[in-house]
Amino acid sequence: MATVIYTVYGVAIFFFVFWCGTWGVHLIAILYGKWKLHKKTSLPCEIPVPGVSIVKPLMGVDPNLFSNLETFFTMDYPTYELLFCVEDESDPAIMLVKRLMEKYPNVDARLFTGGGNVGVNPKINNMQPGFLAAKYELILISDSGIRMKEDTLQDMVSHLKDKVGLVHQMPFTCDRDGFAATLEKIYFGTAQARIYLSAAFLGVNCHTGMSTLIRKNIIDEVGGLQTFSGYLAEDYFIAKSLKERGWNMSISSQPAWQNSGLCEIHSFQARLTRWAKLRAAMVPHTIILEPLSECMVLGAFASWAVSFLFKWDALVFYLVHILVWFLLDWILLCIVQNGSLSFNKFDFVVGWLFRECSSPYLFLHAQWHPEIRWRGRTYRLKWGGIAEELKPKVKV
């Protein structure tokens, strides 16, 4: 009987300590975000500016693709090239790229079609020809839905100090209409930003490959992009390889502005589910830690813990926990946005509650259905992040 009581006490103490530590994560993210994000930077005039090869993998079109791509033609940076990669030669994105190349003939831009076949990762297969053709020492890998400001590339290059091998942008979203867009902005400005900023401050690998500036020789040293083609989360393993060789990473002061023209709740939740599956395969202990980082789940366990340990009112504690979490998320979102939000406070309340309440379900769904569907293909993940493509069954 005594063993059972001690075990229950131990579990309650664990949840209470974990709950206390989570507030440290909140504060780190808020303070580091306030200090780091949206700081004006510029390149020193006396040092030669390195050239940058920008690799843009494209697949399909959306209403914002043309304007997003155009921002790469109008950047304020002296020396760069644009390398557009399209796997399918009948892809309508090719027409948009050609229109922009005709509109901006003075910008060094090339188009590669057909892709390569170096592994299971379709993004790397698509980027392979562009990466091999890159002529500059710095490579910027940028997803198709990213929108650049005129000085974004300057900011990223300015962070590439000695022993910094990779500069990454924290994912965020542009202002768009609709509840789905509000939900995305709330997620990337609260839950994602909290983990991303605190991990970056603590030196934990939090890199996402939406917008990444990297020294090309670092990739070439290990055999090129194809070395990471066996993983779907190639961004994580590129950063892992870099850190293992003594290089540092730095976060840009500007977020990566996602601006997809197709914004739906279902597709957004599918992204979250896919990322949860990847994290579980790459870092298995997240299966336990990730649910506990959610407001509603952690609050429930912490409320039981304080009720058991200190005889506090569990319901009152739970409601206060949610309120304080909500307020800190609002503060962090305002810091990341760095300006007026595109929705009102009521929209934020609804979107925040929807995200927080749906998150545990999406995580459980991801673990129950481990196969990943991405870019029209289906994959199975092995422990460690290795992926294998599942071929569709042929009906006889």
Side-chain angles (χ1 to χ4, degrees):
M1 184 66 180
T3 303
V4 175
I5 294 176
Y6 288 142
T7 301
V8 174
Y9 266 103
V11 172
I13 292 171
F14 167 79
F15 284 128
F16 180 70
V17 171
F18 192 93
W19 177 81
C20 292
T22 301
W23 299 112
V25 173
H26 277 276
L27 294 177
I28 289 173
I30 289 173
L31 296 175
Y32 186 59
K34 185 67 175 177
W35 175 79
K36 181 69 177 179
L37 296 178
H38 306 292
K39 293 176 65 175
K40 191 70 175 178
T41 59
S42 59
L43 295 168
C45 300
E46 65 276 7
I47 300 176
V49 176
V52 180
S53 296
I54 303 174
V55 181
K56 292 286 294 184
L58 305 177
M59 182 179 180
V61 298
D62 67 58
N64 291 346
L65 181 61
F66 185 88
S67 61
N68 290 339
L69 296 181
E70 190 170 21
T71 62
F72 286 82
F73 285 84
T74 58
M75 291 188 299
D76 182 15
Y77 194 84
T79 309
Y80 69 94
E81 63 173 345
L82 295 172
L83 307 172
F84 296 100
C85 303
V86 184
E87 186 176 22
D88 188 350
E89 296 182 357
S90 63
D91 195 309
I94 294 175
M95 179 183 65
L96 297 186
V97 171
K98 290 181 176 179
R99 283 174 54 192
L100 286 166
M101 292 171 65
E102 293 174 359
K103 184 176 180 180
Y104 299 94
N106 295 327
V107 176
D108 186 1
R110 286 179 284 170
L111 174 64
F112 300 87
T113 60
N117 186 18
V118 295
V120 299
N121 187 312
K123 181 179 177 180
I124 287 184
N125 286 338
N126 193 7
M127 292 192 298
Q128 182 69 5
F131 180 83
L132 294 177
K135 62 185 180 184
Y136 294 123
E137 60 184 279
L138 301 181
I139 299 285
L140 173 64
I141 298 175
S142 175
D143 284 357
S144 61
I146 298 298
R147 186 178 184 87
M148 298 286 270
K149 294 184 176 181
E150 287 188 355
D151 61 343
T152 300
L153 192 54
Q154 289 189 39
D155 179 85
M156 297 184 76
V157 173
S158 70
H159 283 82
L160 210 62
K161 311 292 186 182
D162 292 340
K163 294 306 294 179
V164 174
L166 184 151
V167 177
H168 53 111
Q169 292 185 281
M170 186 186 74
F172 195 47
T173 63
C174 293
D175 293 340
R176 294 167 296 171
D177 296 329
F179 180 70
T182 298
L183 186 63
E184 284 194 21
K185 185 175 284 288
I186 290 172
Y187 168 76
F188 285 107
T190 58
Q192 172 78 2
R194 184 189 324 122
I195 299 301
Y196 209 94
L197 289 168
S198 57
F201 176 79
L202 297 172
V204 177
N205 183 4
C206 61
H207 167 239
T208 65
M210 293 182 188
S211 183
T212 302
L213 182 71
I214 190 168
R215 299 181 191 272
K216 188 173 186 292
N217 66 295
I218 293 178
I219 302 294
D220 291 335
E221 285 176 1
V222 293
L225 278 180
Q226 61 265 32
T227 302
F228 306 97
S229 61
Y231 308 101
L232 294 186
E234 80 291 336
D235 45 7
Y236 173 84
F237 289 99
I238 288 173
K240 182 174 181 287
S241 170
L242 176 147
K243 288 179 70 68
E244 289 173 347
R245 287 177 282 152
W247 289 93
N248 297 322
M249 298 190 300
S250 178
I251 186 172
S252 171
S253 64
Q254 294 189 19
W257 297 99
Q258 302 173 82
N259 191 41
S260 173
L262 301 175
C263 192
E264 300 172 338
I265 294 177
H266 174 75
S267 60
F268 172 60
Q269 291 184 328
R271 290 174 73 193
L272 298 183
T273 303
R274 184 175 74 247
W275 293 342
K277 295 175 183 180
L278 289 170
R279 288 192 295 270
M282 296 184 304
V283 191
H285 63 260
T286 60
I287 294 176
I288 297 175
L289 296 180
E290 188 163 330
L292 291 179
S293 68
E294 297 293 343
C295 175
M296 303 300 179
V297 176
L298 179 59
F301 283 115
S303 298
W304 167 80
V306 298
S307 175
F308 181 80
L309 294 171
F310 311 120
K311 310 305 179 185
W312 294 353
D313 188 299
L315 179 59
V316 173
F317 182 90
Y318 190 55
L319 294 176
V320 172
H321 160 86
I322 293 174
L323 177 61
V324 177
W325 194 297
F326 170 84
L327 293 174
L328 291 180
D329 272 356
W330 171 259
I331 293 171
L332 181 58
L333 177 61
C334 292
I335 290 172
V336 178
Q337 176 75 6
N338 194 39
S340 59
L341 290 162
S342 57
F343 47 83
N344 56 42
K345 291 181 176 64
F346 177 77
D347 292 334
F348 175 73
V349 172
V350 174
W352 186 87
L353 287 172
F354 182 87
R355 198 216 73 81
E356 295 295 338
C357 293
S358 62
S359 183
Y361 162 76
L362 294 177
F363 179 80
L364 292 175
H365 179 77
Q367 310 314 312
W368 192 256
H369 303 281
E371 291 82 14
I372 288 182
R373 291 176 176 82
W374 185 41
R375 300 194 177 202
R377 301 174 176 92
T378 303
Y379 303 89
R380 178 188 293 120
L381 291 177
K382 302 177 182 178
W383 290 118
I386 296 290
E388 62 176 345
E389 185 176 355
L390 301 179
K391 300 297 183 182
K393 296 180 180 180
V394 179
K395 295 182 179 180
V396 180

